[in-house]
Amino acid sequence: MDIVIPLFDNFEPLDAIGPYEILGYVPGATVRFVTDRPGLVKDVFGNMPVHVPTRYAEVERCDVLLVPGGGSYRTMVEDPEFLAWVRRIHATTRFTTSVCTGGVVLGAAGLLDGLSATTHYAAAPELEAFGAVYTAERVIRHDRVITSAGVSSGIDMAVRLAALLSDDVTAQAIQLYTEYDPQPPFDSGSLAKAPDEVVERARGLR
């Protein structure tokens, strides 16, 4: 089972590494990163370079395509060759998925036209500009297309995907092994819950 995650400079670390950690435990699965030019790919903070040896163009098919976000999504959206590759790969995937602003990439590739979808709340207008209907849910599935909201929601999506690729008991075992049992100290993880001053502070984090 081949799971492919494209990485470009300025990717959001948890967008990619969260699902990588979960899906790596799916029986029979191989999770690998691809990029445009093999070598070190920098995360958005610049302190966690990942060596990626494979060009995305070398991949002709995979079982799962998972597109993460972060600042890298702009590079992907503005690269017509990459978007054409996404469409080509999607034609034969079991599942095509996204985390955070990776959803905008799927939209730019024409995969979300007319569908409800989610992304990081700040990117909702861009998602809708590509024909999707932004919906403030953590994970949304339409058959084999799955989008997840901002950053940490990729772990939720990956656990659900693990169940689809194996079975519910296996997915729950992976959740237990990774002790994914969120108990955040604050209830401010969505626009619907966060006070105005928290929303304003969050806008300044980038």
Side-chain angles (χ1 to χ4, degrees):
M1 186 188 304
D2 190 18
I3 300 173
V4 172
I5 303 175
L7 286 189
F8 287 70
D9 280 340
N10 296 316
F11 73 93
E12 190 73 43
L14 192 58
D15 281 15
I17 302 304
Y20 171 79
E21 173 77 16
I22 298 296
L23 297 173
Y25 291 110
V26 173
T30 298
V31 187
R32 57 189 178 129
F33 298 115
V34 298
T35 190
D36 55 344
R37 292 182 300 275
L40 291 179
V41 181
K42 296 180 180 179
D43 72 300
V44 71
F45 302 109
N47 296 316
M48 194 186 75
V50 178
H51 178 68
V52 182
T54 306
R55 286 185 174 88
Y56 70 78
E58 296 175 35
V59 177
E60 297 183 355
R61 59 171 291 121
C62 62
D63 296 287
V64 177
L65 177 64
L66 191 153
V67 182
S72 59
Y73 89 98
R74 296 190 184 280
T75 301
M76 291 186 268
V77 164
E78 294 170 2
D79 185 341
E81 291 185 9
F82 177 75
L83 295 179
W85 176 81
V86 169
R87 288 189 291 271
R88 193 162 60 249
I89 293 297
H90 170 67
T92 58
T93 59
R94 288 179 63 184
F95 295 100
T96 299
T97 69
S98 65
V99 182
C100 194
T101 48
V104 179
V105 178
L106 297 190
L111 306 186
L112 301 178
D113 193 29
L115 298 179
S116 58
T118 190
T119 185
H120 191 280
Y121 61 83
E126 291 179 85
L127 182 73
E128 295 202 317
F130 288 114
V133 179
Y134 171 71
T135 307
E137 295 181 21
R138 199 148 170 88
V139 179
I140 297 177
R141 179 187 176 194
H142 291 283
D143 191 22
R144 59 193 187 89
V145 176
I146 306 174
T147 57
S148 56
V151 193
S152 64
S153 66
I155 299 176
D156 289 18
M157 186 272 290
V159 173
R160 295 191 190 188
L161 185 56
L164 293 169
L165 295 172
S166 54
D167 57 73
D168 288 357
V169 173
T170 298
Q172 290 176 72
I174 294 170
Q175 182 177 352
L176 173 59
Y177 183 78
T178 57
E179 286 200 83
Y180 180 51
D181 185 24
Q183 299 175 35
F186 304 107
D187 192 20
S188 60
S190 74
L191 282 178
K193 300 176 181 179
D196 290 344
E197 63 178 335
V198 172
V199 174
E200 189 61 31
R201 183 71 61 86
R203 288 190 180 123
L205 291 180
R206 285 286 183 272

